[in-house]
Amino acid sequence: MEQIAAKDSSVVAPRERIASVDPFRGFTMFLLIGESTLMYRHFLESGNPVLRFLGTELSHHEWHGLHFWDLIQPFFMFIVGVSIPFAVEARRKKGYPEGVILRHAVKRSLLLLFFGWALYCIGPERIVFRLQNVLAQLSVTYLVAFLIRNKSVAFQLVFTLIVLLVTDLAYRFFPVAGFDQPWVAFHNLGAYVNNKIEGVEKADIWASLNAIPTIAHTVWGVLCGRLLLSSRPAAAKIRIMLLAGAAGLLVGYSLDFLQITPIIKKIATSAFVFASGGWALLGLCCCYWVIDVLKTGRRMAHFFVIVGMNSIFIYLFFEVGTALLLNSMFRPFARALFSRGGTSAGDVMAGAGKVMTGAGAVITGAGEVMTGAGEIMTSACSWMAMWYLCYWLYKKGIFFKI
């Protein structure tokens, strides 16, 4: 490993720590915490058009198209790739041999697969073979990206293009009747694989096969990590990330606009991978420019760093249902504050007679609005409680790693 590193003269230990990686990961995980509290669902149900717009963007597109929320999983898989060169560099400095580093990567991949798979078994309380969540799919993309991390930039780029091309062609030419419509929900290769894995006739719309094309996200992250670790000047790093991000957006949206391959998150089409990868590159570039080059916004960045330092832990924490448990604890207090004079007052007014029925309906509606505010406040309290848990762990120096 040391010989390989010596051949790549562009990769050296940075003079100062790159501060933008942890906030990027923490921001992504912070938004995932918000989803677990049902906050975005309350936005969608709100009568406020601004909140409804936010709720729409913070929910997955039904099928063909792209919302902001469709970028969150690619962002996380991408930033894991960015972290790989930093983690390997840190282990090298501690004197770990190549074999130990490799065993750790394999162990981490298997643990990610186990935790991702086990989450699906909690509700049914039996073994369920589902592999659609981010941990299960990251177990594949992480290991592949790790194994080819020392290959040349050209090799890694060509490798990801081949993966995307092969997956695209497999969807187009899959010959099984009923699953030979590549871009139709439940009638494509991804649906066929889901059905076989889960042993059912109609499985989830999200494809377990997404772990293959999204290898590109994590590999592209590795390349960005190597770039950030390199001795290139900051301006050159920013220029490369800008050009690469713009190229990803151009390819992804062009494939969709020209009706070659649609942007579909739920089966991770090649157009989606290019477009989301482009946004991930531009997001990291922006963080690097603001935090590492301009050296501004570091206090706000630290707010997200606190979450990013225990990202896997907090993901498992809310995925096992803890967010909903917290909601049930905070809801009585939030409703007491925001639902005074609500539905019960409306019922009294409505029962006063036909003349008062209209007024009763108005008050009932007001009660419903206040109940909505109470639900939003409930989610906000749960959201902040989980952030505070990360803060407490951070202050105690407790970091859960696999």
Side-chain angles (χ1 to χ4, degrees):
M1 182 176 294
E2 293 176 354
Q3 292 176 348
I4 294 174
K7 293 178 181 178
D8 188 357
S9 60
S10 65
V11 178
V12 296
R15 293 181 180 177
E16 60 179 280
R17 189 175 186 275
I18 302 297
S20 51
V21 175
D22 289 333
F24 190 97
R25 177 173 53 241
F27 172 74
T28 303
M29 189 54 61
F30 183 72
L31 290 179
L32 283 168
I33 297 173
E35 183 199 31
S36 73
T37 68
L38 307 182
M39 175 69 84
Y40 311 148
R41 183 184 300 179
H42 300 326
F43 287 172
L44 275 174
E45 296 168 351
S46 171
N48 186 306
V50 175
L51 290 181
R52 283 203 307 273
F53 171 77
L54 288 175
T56 299
E57 287 300 313
L58 291 169
S59 59
H60 289 298
H61 200 288
E62 184 176 348
W63 187 247
H64 176 199
L66 191 67
H67 289 165
F68 173 76
W69 193 247
D70 296 315
L71 302 175
I72 295 303
Q73 182 172 341
F75 279 10
F76 190 71
M77 300 178 90
F78 172 80
I79 202 63
V80 168
V82 174
S83 302
I84 288 175
F86 290 89
V88 171
E89 186 73 15
R91 287 180 175 274
R92 283 175 176 169
K93 287 183 178 179
K94 293 178 180 178
Y96 288 105
E98 180 180 358
V100 172
I101 296 174
L102 175 60
R103 284 196 296 273
H104 176 266
V106 173
K107 176 184 174 182
R108 191 180 193 208
S109 176
L110 292 174
L111 285 172
L112 287 170
L113 178 61
F114 171 77
F115 287 130
W117 172 34
L119 288 174
Y120 288 113
C121 304
I122 295 175
E125 296 185 355
R126 59 183 176 83
I127 294 177
V128 177
F129 290 100
R130 292 188 62 187
L131 304 171
Q132 290 97 336
N133 64 31
V134 63
L135 295 187
Q137 301 204 355
L138 187 59
S139 70
V140 176
T141 71
Y142 165 79
L143 186 58
V144 173
F146 177 87
L147 292 175
I148 67 171
R149 73 192 184 283
N150 288 324
K151 299 293 185 181
S152 68
V153 173
F155 176 92
Q156 294 188 58
L157 288 176
V158 170
F159 177 84
T160 56
L161 293 178
I162 291 174
V163 167
L164 292 174
L165 177 61
V166 169
T167 307
D168 191 280
L169 293 176
Y171 267 89
R172 291 177 189 274
F173 299 107
F174 190 62
V176 177
F179 299 95
D180 52 359
Q181 302 175 62
W183 320 131
V184 178
F186 298 109
H187 294 283
N188 52 60
L189 172 61
Y192 177 83
V193 173
N194 280 358
N195 294 351
K196 291 300 180 181
I197 291 175
E198 299 179 34
V200 297
E201 293 185 2
K202 187 177 182 180
D204 196 271
I205 194 171
W206 295 89
S208 295
L209 198 61
N210 289 358
I212 304 304
T214 55
I215 287 172
H217 288 138
T218 311
V219 173
W220 294 342
V222 168
L223 292 177
C224 282
R226 287 177 52 176
L227 174 66
L228 293 177
L229 274 172
S230 74
S231 58
R232 293 175 183 269
K237 295 176 183 178
I238 291 173
R239 182 171 61 252
I240 292 170
M241 286 190 285
L242 281 176
L243 291 174
L249 295 182
L250 178 63
V251 173
Y253 284 106
S254 294
L255 288 171
D256 185 82
F257 179 76
L258 298 173
Q259 299 183 3
I260 298 172
T261 303
I263 292 177
I264 304 174
K265 153 72 175 173
K266 292 179 179 178
I267 56 174
T269 60
S270 56
F272 167 77
V273 173
F274 276 114
S276 56
W279 285 119
L281 280 156
L282 294 181
L284 179 64
C285 180
C286 182
C287 284
Y288 175 72
W289 177 59
V290 172
I291 297 173
D292 287 300
V293 178
L294 298 182
K295 300 187 184 301
T296 59
R298 293 203 170 194
R299 179 169 296 182
M300 177 59 70
H302 188 67
F303 178 89
F304 298 116
V305 168
I306 289 168
V307 180
M309 295 299 288
N310 270 303
S311 56
I312 299 297
F313 163 78
I314 199 63
Y315 180 84
L316 291 171
F317 183 81
F318 65 69
E319 279 292 325
V320 299
T322 311
L324 300 182
L325 176 61
L326 289 171
N327 278 0
S328 67
M329 293 170 58
F330 289 119
R331 185 173 288 112
F333 301 97
R335 283 182 173 174
L337 289 173
F338 287 89
S339 299
R340 293 175 181 173
T343 303
S344 59
D347 292 338
V348 172
M349 294 293 289
K354 292 182 179 179
V355 175
M356 301 297 290
T357 300
V362 170
I363 294 181
T364 300
E368 291 173 352
V369 171
M370 297 183 78
T371 300
E375 291 298 326
I376 289 176
M377 182 55 65
T378 296
S379 295
C381 290
S382 299
W383 199 349
M384 288 301 100
M386 282 187 279
W387 178 88
Y388 184 80
L389 173 60
C390 293
Y391 175 75
W392 184 86
L393 292 171
Y394 180 86
K395 294 295 288 185
K396 295 293 183 180
I398 302 171
F399 306 106
F400 293 90
K401 298 182 182 297
I402 59 174

